[in-house]
Amino acid sequence: MTNFTEEDLDNYLHNQVDLRHRQVSKSVEDVQKIIKDLTAEVSSKDARFQSIANSGVHNASLKVILHDQTALVSKWSALLRGRCAYNPAIHVLTPTLYLISVPLQGLMGYKVRRTRQWRYYSLSGSRLLSPVREPEKLYQWLELESFVNPSQEWQDACMTIEGDIVPAKVVNIFKEHLETSIKTCGLTSKVSMLESVGSVVRVAVETSEAQIEVELVPTVELMNYWPKRARWPRLFQRWPSTERARCIKSFGFNLMATSNYHWLLSFSRAEQVLLSNIDEDGGCRRKCYRVVRQLKEDVWCPGSKPVITAYHLQTLLFWTCEKYPCTRDWRDFRGCVLRLVQKLHKCVSQHYLRHYFVRSHNLLKYSNTNELDDVAKKINNFLDSPETYVH
């Protein structure tokens, strides 16, 4: 490691990482415009789906809820001003794989209620002899009665079964509208439907830089409510500050239609705020994250469907920030990069990475163990001689 210096890292950051950032930013810009037009067209056909332009605090349903909470909207805008170059609904998992949440409308006044324990229906609505499996730790049922004032359109049997809003049925309706909208908007040369995997709508979008695979997920955005299973911040936690944690929790969470029966808990707004202000003390956390992400994409885990994504690295960064909360812990760029890589190696080797907010959930639980072991070997090779990779 004698030739591995902070100057090498700075050069790598400017030559490799910044180039990647410019290329991805251009692709995101192209994808955002196309998906914005498509989802606006879908919304004109079915008002339950909104354009991605209405995600987050711009969601029409949330505007009704937050009309007397302008401070919360202002806080969100101030936190992300100049720090989020593109729509917060867009999540770049790899340079050629994006996940985009499509906001739903008409589900207002979410409240906690005790749900019934067993469901005995199939997706077609027929009766089953044995119950549908219970949701895992990062998933939940969603009942229409959980909302104080759902719009009349959500009473439609095409979306619900026995009072449950069923993700697979929501996705099917959205997919039908999307296929029609691609033709209506004259985008057949730029957008093509891909074979679905589970309850996820996948499209290929042609951009000036590359073909991008986009996963479109209908999403219920729940502002000003924090789920009980996300026991955060933790006792004696020093990062982030108590005030910032309170602010982050006020932005609530999302429920995403990624499986047949159960809704996935997502904390994307909270994660965006954490990441956007992560170096307000002058540290090098974001620089470390960007370097490690570039190494992952170039060396350890390349390809369009990697076993480790940017989301895994972001989660690892949050855990590391929590363990090392002081400003002085993030002054040595070289040492901080190596520390983050060592932690990644440990997680990949053990096939275990806790979700940052729901810590009982392992993000690598269903990952291919052979692929994880292969990544672990590559990371170990890097740790043996990082100077051969960063130049």
Side-chain angles (χ1 to χ4, degrees), residues 243-274:
E243 181 183 354
R244 183 167 295 282
R246 189 182 302 114
C247 165
I248 287 169
K249 292 178 73 171
S250 70
F251 293 118
F253 72 111
N254 295 336
L255 291 172
M256 305 183 75
T258 59
S259 73
N260 286 333
Y261 292 93
H262 310 131
W263 293 79
L264 172 68
L265 277 72
S266 166
F267 300 86
S268 57
R269 283 188 298 280
E271 291 158 353
Q272 285 166 0
V273 175
L274 273 175

Side-chain angles (χ1 to χ4, degrees), residues 231-235 237-240 271 274-275 278 285 311-325 329-330 339-340 343-344 347 352-363:
R231 297 177 180 177
W232 184 88
R234 285 162 276 279
L235 194 62
Q237 180 177 318
R238 297 168 60 196
W239 183 91
E271 291 158 353
L274 273 175
L275 197 59
I278 204 164
R285 300 169 187 83
Y311 184 76
H312 293 111
L313 299 184
Q314 176 183 279
T315 301
L316 182 69
L317 177 65
F318 292 157
W319 280 116
T320 309
C321 289
E322 188 171 309
K323 184 170 183 180
Y324 298 95
D329 296 324
W330 296 93
R339 181 174 64 199
L340 198 59
K343 287 188 170 296
L344 177 62
C347 290
Y352 192 82
L353 174 60
R354 290 181 296 174
H355 188 280
Y356 184 62
F357 294 106
V358 184
R359 60 183 299 172
S360 58
H361 177 73
N362 176 18
L363 291 173

Side-chain angles (χ1 to χ4, degrees), residues 64-78:
V64 174
I65 299 170
L66 299 175
H67 71 280
D68 60 344
Q69 300 184 45
T70 54
L72 186 59
V73 178
S74 299
K75 191 176 0 178
W76 168 257
S77 301

Side-chain angles (χ1 to χ4, degrees), residues 30 34 189-192 204-212:
D30 293 344
I34 290 172
S189 62
K190 292 186 176 181
V191 183
S192 56
V205 179
E206 296 292 340
T207 73
S208 57
E209 297 293 327
Q211 183 183 84
I212 309 298

Side-chain angles (χ1 to χ4, degrees), residues 36-270:
K36 181 180 175 181
D37 291 343
L38 280 176
T39 50
E41 178 65 23
V42 169
S43 184
S44 70
K45 301 176 188 299
D46 190 334
R48 289 171 294 192
F49 302 99
Q50 295 192 79
S51 165
I52 63 168
N54 296 327
S55 62
V57 293
H58 304 294
N59 187 312
S61 297
L62 297 179
K63 286 180 181 177
V64 174
I65 299 170
L66 299 175
H67 71 280
D68 60 344
Q69 300 184 45
T70 54
L72 186 59
V73 178
S74 299
K75 191 176 0 178
W76 168 257
S77 301
L79 284 168
L80 295 183
R81 187 176 295 121
R83 299 174 185 272
C84 189
Y86 42 84
N87 193 302
I90 301 175
H91 310 281
V92 179
L93 302 180
T94 77
T96 57
L97 176 63
Y98 302 172
L99 184 151
I100 301 181
S101 55
V102 179
L104 297 175
Q105 182 174 230
L107 297 171
M108 294 180 287
Y110 181 76
K111 64 183 186 299
V112 185
R113 66 186 303 274
R114 187 179 182 86
T115 60
R116 64 187 188 279
Q117 187 171 6
W118 307 113
R119 270 76 169 175
Y120 289 88
Y121 58 76
S122 68
L123 293 177
S124 63
S126 59
R127 196 71 179 167
L128 300 175
L129 296 177
S130 57
V132 178
R133 65 176 176 82
E134 285 293 287
E136 295 193 22
K137 292 168 184 175
L138 208 60
Y139 290 81
Q140 69 169 61
W141 300 103
L142 185 60
E143 296 181 320
L144 203 55
E145 290 183 2
S146 295
F147 299 93
V148 175
N149 188 27
S151 63
Q152 189 61 38
E153 291 86 353
W154 284 99
Q155 311 290 338
D156 187 356
C158 291
M159 294 282 203
T160 63
I161 301 177
E162 296 181 10
D164 287 334
I165 304 174
V166 182
K169 295 175 80 68
V170 174
V171 168
N172 284 339
I173 296 295
F174 173 72
K175 184 178 180 181
E176 291 174 7
H177 289 317
L178 185 67
E179 289 174 337
T180 304
S181 297
I182 291 173
K183 298 174 183 176
T184 306
C185 293
L187 290 170
T188 52
S189 62
K190 292 186 176 181
V191 183
S192 56
M193 299 293 297
L194 298 175
E195 184 180 350
S196 296
V197 177
S199 290
V200 176
V201 175
R202 297 164 60 240
V203 297
V205 179
E206 296 292 340
T207 73
S208 57
E209 297 293 327
Q211 183 183 84
I212 309 298
E213 181 179 326
V214 178
E215 297 180 351
L216 295 164
V217 184
T219 301
V220 181
E221 299 182 323
L222 303 171
M223 191 74 76
N224 233 356
Y225 178 81
W226 193 257
K228 288 184 178 179
R229 69 182 70 185
R231 297 177 180 177
W232 184 88
R234 285 162 276 279
L235 194 62
F236 304 124
Q237 180 177 318
R238 297 168 60 196
W239 183 91
S241 66
T242 302
E243 181 183 354
R244 183 167 295 282
R246 189 182 302 114
C247 165
I248 287 169
K249 292 178 73 171
S250 70
F251 293 118
F253 72 111
N254 295 336
L255 291 172
M256 305 183 75
T258 59
S259 73
N260 286 333
Y261 292 93
H262 310 131
W263 293 79
L264 172 68
L265 277 72
S266 166
F267 300 86
S268 57
R269 283 188 298 280

Side-chain angles (χ1 to χ4, degrees), residues 327-349:
T327 301
R328 65 176 181 272
D329 296 324
W330 296 93
R331 293 300 188 203
D332 175 14
F333 186 24
R334 175 184 177 278
C336 291
V337 166
L338 288 175
R339 181 174 64 199
L340 198 59
V341 174
Q342 288 164 352
K343 287 188 170 296
L344 177 62
H345 180 258
K346 180 179 179 181
C347 290
V348 173
S349 299

